[in-house]
Amino acid sequence: MVSDALPVMKVRYSPLEQQFADVDDVFDELKALVRSTDFTLGKVVGEFEEMFAAAVGSKYAIGVGSGTDALKIPLKALGIGPGDEVITAANTFYATAGAIAETGARIVFVDCDDTFGIDPELIEAAITPRTKAIMPVHLTGDMANMTRITEIAGKHGLKVIEDACQSLLAKEAGRPAGTWGIAGGFSMHPLKIINVWGDAGVIVTDDPEMDRMCRLLRNHGLRNRDEMEILGYNTRLDSVQAVVGKWIVAKVEDIVAARIRNAERYDAGFADIPEITIPMRRATKGPGERAVYLNYVIFAERRDELLQHCRANGIDAKIHYPIALYRQAALRHLGYPAGAFPVTDRHTETIISFPADQHLQTQEIDYLIGVVRGFYGR
């Protein structure tokens, strides 16, 4: 039912039309790229990698073909494969599990807490002699508890590879997402914070051997044109996407600042609605803590009705994600029974996501808040 109090306004989820409305600068550089014919691992890829590493605060950045490959390649670089186990969050997106599965290792899920991060106090119970790594996921734009996770990993001699695909420039204790473990993976899918015109990803690391191995693995294992050191993959960052990535990464601090302002406006608008719970956030207001809000997610009573109400009023709300990953048909072989991860299950029934991107207008946010308040009779 359309709200009686507010005229219907369209509030889209994807900002791509606004983001790429004026791309003359990109096309100018693309023309120069075409004339140079420097299409494969060319100069522009190196330029983008330097810019990305500087933005994140890592020594090295390695461009690859997708965010999924940005998670898989570091696992392969560590020699993780069949017979090994990798622990990750039960509430994550499909790509996290897919990256682990592509190595041949077994996916081991651990439940999340209400910050959406993996619950660190449940990790040790999931460790076995076959465990080789932990892949925490910084979901929605806030960070998992990396202080505690790295402590646990160090105690058990495990490597940490961060799935930072949704949380570029998030911070905990002054350290950015992706820089806590031996490597971190980022996505540049069109709906991520730094986005390009297709699929692309970036691995970051401070470890020179990890950097070397990832560069080999992304390019067939080639040491040079004529010598193949190891068996690798073809997952190079495309030069065209590197041009687009350079254009976006130069704006990333402004992008993140706008998302934070939008989230704060939502928080204020929802604060007095008893049926809505604003999630606990690990990031504080201090200078060393930052959540970046790829998605603005809340817990809502009568969630499915609210979702329909929003859509009827022109708001393209989403659910991230409506079916827990461990319940997906593709992962039934893992043998987890229904109810194995109760917090994850509760989230699938209560979360709703609203856009938080830098192109949202204040009136769009206020309209969305008004529609939600109207649904609950506020």
Side-chain angles (χ1 to χ4, degrees):
M1 182 175 67
V2 176
S3 168
D4 294 331
L6 296 168
V8 173
M9 177 186 293
K10 295 291 184 183
V11 183
R12 84 293 175 279
Y13 206 91
S14 169
L16 295 178
E17 184 176 347
Q18 290 88 350
Q19 184 164 10
F20 295 116
D22 183 4
V23 289
D24 287 347
D25 291 346
V26 177
F27 281 115
D28 287 344
E29 189 164 354
L30 286 174
K31 289 176 184 177
L33 174 66
V34 171
R35 295 188 186 103
S36 74
T37 70
D38 193 15
F39 296 135
T40 305
L41 290 182
K43 177 183 176 184
V44 68
V45 173
E47 292 171 347
F48 167 76
E49 289 172 341
E50 289 181 6
M51 292 175 68
F52 195 95
V56 171
S58 63
K59 288 183 180 178
Y60 310 106
I62 306 101
V64 292
S66 69
T68 308
D69 284 348
L71 304 176
K72 177 183 74 176
I73 294 298
L75 293 172
K76 294 294 291 185
L78 292 170
I80 291 172
D84 298 330
E85 294 178 351
V86 178
I87 292 171
T88 194
N91 63 327
T92 187
F93 181 63
Y94 321 120
T96 316
I100 296 169
E102 283 191 51
T103 70
R106 179 177 176 82
I107 305 154
V108 176
F109 287 129
V110 168
D111 210 355
C112 63
D113 60 27
D114 281 339
T115 69
F116 303 115
I118 189 172
D119 188 335
E121 302 314 314
L122 301 178
I123 290 175
E124 287 191 282
I127 295 173
T128 76
R130 294 180 295 278
T131 307
K132 293 297 188 292
I134 304 171
M135 185 173 282
V137 184
H138 307 315
L139 205 67
T140 79
D142 202 357
M143 286 184 63
N145 187 342
M146 292 307 300
T147 299
R148 184 73 182 107
I149 291 166
T150 53
E151 286 174 357
I152 294 167
K155 175 182 175 182
H156 293 274
L158 304 176
K159 298 297 185 182
V160 174
I161 299 98
E162 296 169 71
D163 180 345
C165 291
Q166 296 192 10
S167 295
L168 178 65
L169 297 197
K171 290 183 181 180
E172 176 189 338
R175 289 183 65 177
T179 67
W180 287 76
I182 193 168
F186 293 88
S187 171
M188 294 193 293
H189 178 276
L191 292 180
K192 296 300 190 290
I193 289 174
I194 288 184
N195 47 8
V196 294
W197 296 350
D199 278 316
V202 186
I203 302 159
V204 298
T205 185
D206 287 343
D207 185 273
E209 180 60 14
M210 175 61 74
D211 175 63
R212 187 185 78 86
M213 287 295 294
C214 288
R215 292 184 190 279
L216 284 172
L217 285 164
R218 75 170 174 184
N219 189 32
H220 302 292
L222 291 170
R223 182 185 298 133
N224 54 50
R225 180 184 179 278
D226 299 316
E227 296 179 279
M228 186 172 68
E229 180 174 332
I230 58 175
L231 288 171
Y233 305 91
N234 181 356
T235 181
R236 302 176 292 246
L237 176 63
D238 187 274
S239 294
V240 170
Q241 304 298 1
V243 170
V244 182
K246 283 177 57 182
W247 185 72
I248 298 292
V249 77
K251 307 175 182 183
V252 68
E253 287 287 351
D254 290 339
I255 289 170
V256 165
R259 287 175 173 271
I260 293 170
R261 288 194 300 271
N262 292 343
E264 289 173 346
R265 195 171 188 90
Y266 280 132
D267 282 355
F270 296 143
D272 65 342
I273 303 176
E275 296 88 350
I276 284 178
T277 300
I278 296 170
M280 296 184 296
R281 300 198 182 106
R282 299 202 62 258
T284 67
K285 300 291 185 181
E289 309 282 330
R290 182 161 61 183
V292 295
Y293 304 99
L294 178 72
N295 302 307
Y296 179 86
V297 184
I298 56 173
F299 302 112
E301 295 182 15
R302 297 163 52 205
R303 189 275 312 277
D304 291 345
E305 294 175 57
L306 174 62
L307 179 65
Q308 294 306 314
H309 178 76
C310 287
R311 289 177 174 173
N313 281 272
I315 296 166
D316 188 18
K318 306 285 186 185
I319 300 172
H320 294 94
Y321 303 98
I323 302 173
L325 188 53
Y326 81 97
R327 290 188 168 187
Q328 295 284 350
L331 295 178
R332 285 179 187 156
H333 66 279
L334 296 177
Y336 291 112
F341 306 104
V343 179
T344 294
D345 287 339
R346 173 165 53 81
H347 288 186
T348 66
E349 298 169 354
T350 57
I351 54 174
I352 187 168
S353 301
F354 299 126
D357 64 83
Q358 66 276 16
H359 296 285
L360 279 175
Q361 301 298 307
T362 299
Q363 59 266 33
E364 292 177 303
I365 297 172
D366 290 345
Y367 170 75
L368 190 155
I369 290 169
V371 168
V372 174
R373 292 182 68 85
F375 175 77
Y376 290 114
R378 305 298 293 179

